[in-house]
Amino acid sequence: MTGPGPRENGRGPRAKQPRIVAELGRPETPDETARRKAENTRKHYANQTAVNLTLSIVASLAVVLFLVLVVVRPGGTVNRQEIDYRAVAQSAESNVDVPLAAPVLSDGWTSNRADISTGTADGVATWYVGLITPTEQFIALEQGVDANATWVANAVQARPATGATTIAGLDWQVYDRRDGESPGNYAYSMTTTVDRSSYVLHGTADDVQFEQLATALAEQLADQTGDPS
């Protein structure tokens, strides 16, 4: 005959004893157990939040570093996409019946934009070339085909002329706002009209670079018409 089984001795499985709290020298109560678990859960989620925040900051810094390495060249110059504005002009001339301004410029001049559009309000076809000078300044060249005085005024932000000049046989109205408040890309502007086209130059460059562009434009017009004036 075998002896009594585990439950026949009257004891059964031993119940799990409450956790002894060292500071109190006694088992913790159910309320204390619940509070302890809740605090542990809070700390866990707080740590997870801190880890996630750290990872987000690291990821953001990685993106910034990537942009710096890709966009900025050694020496601090901007690595922008250069546009062959003369090729674009040749292609875009199929949309108009006049030659488009695409003057030949010396080394160091680049273009970051070249396109043609038609105004929805006035119907004027506008050829636009954005140019970056050798000193990293900006000049826009705009050509309005059969443009009126309103188009010209809008192209210089409706500012009154401050002077006039003649460059390579072309007479220009000058709009000097360099001393004005936040002139942006309209710090200095020039306008002239030849045949059916009105030309506007505006930007941040100095007088010398504006004169270089105006001279190159006059030379192109002379080649086309034989007389830029």
Side-chain angles (χ1 to χ4, degrees):
M1 183 174 180
T2 60
R7 293 184 179 277
E8 293 178 2
N9 58 12
R11 296 180 181 178
R14 179 176 296 179
K16 185 177 180 180
Q17 297 298 316
R19 179 175 179 271
I20 301 297
V21 181
E23 294 82 354
L24 301 177
R26 60 169 175 77
E28 64 183 3
T29 65
D31 287 343
E32 291 170 340
T33 300
R35 286 196 297 270
R36 174 174 57 80
K37 291 182 177 180
E39 179 64 14
N40 289 340
T41 300
R42 185 192 67 79
K43 290 180 179 179
H44 172 74
Y45 283 115
N47 290 336
Q48 287 295 103
T49 301
V51 170
N52 291 338
L53 179 60
T54 301
L55 292 176
S56 297
I57 293 174
V58 171
S60 298
L61 292 176
V63 171
V64 172
L65 179 60
F66 171 79
L67 292 175
V68 169
L69 293 176
V70 172
V71 177
V72 179
R73 295 174 180 171
T77 58
V78 179
N79 182 13
R80 55 181 165 268
Q81 181 180 5
E82 295 183 5
I83 304 296
D84 186 349
Y85 66 94
R86 301 190 68 210
V88 177
Q90 185 176 6
S91 176
E93 283 182 351
S94 61
N95 298 306
V96 293
D97 56 357
V98 298
L100 295 179
V104 178
L105 297 166
S106 61
D107 292 343
W109 288 77
T110 59
S111 174
N112 60 0
R113 176 184 167 187
D115 56 58
I116 190 168
S117 61
T118 301
T120 56
D122 55 20
V124 175
T126 301
W127 165 242
Y128 181 101
V129 181
L131 295 165
I132 308 300
T133 74
T135 57
E136 297 290 315
Q137 295 301 310
F138 173 79
I139 303 180
L141 186 163
E142 296 187 67
Q143 176 183 356
V145 180
D146 294 327
N148 53 30
T150 300
W151 181 92
V152 175
N154 290 335
V156 294
Q157 295 190 325
R159 299 288 180 169
T162 58
T165 188
T166 299
I167 300 175
L170 290 184
D171 295 327
W172 295 85
Q173 292 293 306
V174 174
Y175 307 76
D176 191 346
R177 299 172 54 198
R178 289 174 176 141
D179 294 333
E181 182 178 354
S182 302
N185 286 334
Y186 293 85
Y188 192 85
S189 305
M190 301 169 58
T191 65
T192 191
T193 298
V194 179
D195 295 331
R196 295 173 53 197
S197 293
S198 295
Y199 301 93
V200 177
L201 311 180
H202 68 82
T204 61
D206 59 26
D207 291 359
V208 172
Q209 291 172 329
F210 269 95
E211 184 173 347
Q212 290 172 350
L213 178 55
T215 299
L217 176 60
E219 291 173 351
Q220 180 192 0
L221 295 178
D223 290 340
Q224 293 169 350
T225 66
D227 182 3
S229 60

